Amino acid sequence: GESVGLHLPTLSVQEGDNSIINCAYSNSASDYFIWYKQESGKGPQFIIDIRSNMDKRQGQRVTVLLNKTVKHLSLQIAATQPGDSAVYFCAERYSSASKIIFGSGTRLSIRP
Amino acid sequence: GAGVSQSPSNKVTEKGKDVELRCDPISGHTALYWYRQRLGQGLEFLIYFQGNSAPDKSGLPSDRFSAERTGESVSTLTIQRTQQEDSAVYLCASSLRTGNRNQPQHFGDGTRLSIL
């Protein structure tokens, strides 16, 4: 659902390890999902997307997994690097014609 | 070939004043969104424009907030009689519409609004 008034949880990961960021979405009828990365002082940037007829999609060092049964989305980042430090948001589209709504974000912190 | 442009990048104003924030979307993008992001928090949806359809204003927090969009170009978000709780970063995003589907948004870097 929409993230209002929530302080962001933080995930701390050792550099070089894999990161898994989770998101619970709100609408079982949502047909399209997106992950965004937001660096300090910038607007969110698109990372990867997935349609509801898929359960996995891979990009460069990132994988998105979709579990429609429990309305859960995850973003996996392989071999986490310092440049991956950011806030990560999931977003859902309620139907093909509708607006895109953001879920709550997670701050990813990288330990050297 | 520029991305979404927002102005001003920073705005400091006194409580009670009106402010106007501007968003220039990517050319050809029919969908335009405004979000509010308080410090350390997530994105709060405010309003959504899609082509010539009536805007979705369901996220506007009060009647002090309004937004306009001229055709498929510039949008302005206006906050009247600003309050300290309005202090936040206001983000604008635009997206293409392919067939009947909204594609991922492209965001500007926001306007940081501070109310004294």
Side-chain angles (χ1 to χ4, degrees), chain A residues 2-8 32 34 36 38 41-44 46 89 93 96-102, chain B residues 33 35 37 39-45 48 56 58 91 97 100-105 107-109 112:
Chain A
E2 298 192 46
S3 56
V4 178
L6 300 172
H7 288 278
L8 302 173
Y32 178 59
I34 310 164
Y36 287 89
Q38 186 179 28
K42 301 285 187 182
F46 171 87
F89 291 98
R93 188 177 68 192
S96 63
S98 72
K99 64 195 179 204
I100 294 172
I101 294 293
F102 279 69
Chain B
Y33 304 73
Y35 295 89
Q37 186 174 33
L39 185 64
Q41 297 187 11
L43 276 71
E44 179 185 1
F45 167 77
Y48 162 61
D56 178 348
S58 60
L91 290 159
R97 190 172 178 86
N100 198 32
R101 289 186 165 85
N102 283 328
Q103 300 305 315
Q105 296 125 316
F107 280 83
D109 287 336
R112 183 175 301 276

Side-chain angles (χ1 to χ4, degrees), chain A residues 54-66:
Chain A
M54 303 170 67
D55 53 19
K56 180 179 180 178
R57 188 163 189 222
Q58 288 186 292
Q60 186 178 8
R61 278 202 312 119
V62 293
T63 301
V64 56
L65 299 177
L66 174 62

Side-chain angles (χ1 to χ4, degrees), chain A residues 31-87:
Chain A
D31 69 343
Y32 178 59
F33 305 88
I34 310 164
W35 279 100
Y36 287 89
K37 173 184 181 182
Q38 186 179 28
E39 296 176 293
S40 181
K42 301 285 187 182
Q45 290 183 296
F46 171 87
I47 303 174
I48 191 168
D49 58 1
I50 188 167
R51 300 196 186 283
S52 59
N53 61 353
M54 303 170 67
D55 53 19
K56 180 179 180 178
R57 188 163 189 222
Q58 288 186 292
Q60 186 178 8
R61 278 202 312 119
V62 293
T63 301
V64 56
L65 299 177
L66 174 62
N67 185 332
K68 294 183 289 293
T69 303
V70 294
K71 294 191 289 185
H72 184 267
L73 198 64
S74 69
L75 177 71
Q76 299 179 2
I77 304 173
T80 311
Q81 303 169 358
D84 296 326
S85 291
V87 176

Side-chain angles (χ1 to χ4, degrees), chain B residues 45-101:
Chain B
F45 167 77
L46 297 178
I47 188 168
Y48 162 61
F49 295 90
Q50 176 56 62
N52 294 319
S53 301
D56 178 348
K57 303 179 181 181
S58 60
L60 294 178
S62 77
D63 59 7
R64 296 187 296 105
F65 287 71
S66 63
E68 293 184 350
R69 187 181 187 193
T70 307
E72 295 183 353
S73 62
V74 172
S75 176
T76 55
L77 176 69
T78 301
I79 309 173
Q80 296 178 306
R81 306 180 302 281
T82 51
Q83 304 294 314
Q84 287 187 330
E85 72 234 29
D86 299 334
S87 295
V89 175
Y90 289 82
L91 290 159
C92 175
S94 69
S95 70
L96 277 172
R97 190 172 178 86
T98 305
N100 198 32
R101 289 186 165 85

Side-chain angles (χ1 to χ4, degrees), chain B residues 26-42:
Chain B
I26 294 172
S27 178
H29 282 194
T30 58
L32 188 146
Y33 304 73
W34 283 98
Y35 295 89
R36 179 170 68 181
Q37 186 174 33
R38 292 197 167 104
L39 185 64
Q41 297 187 11

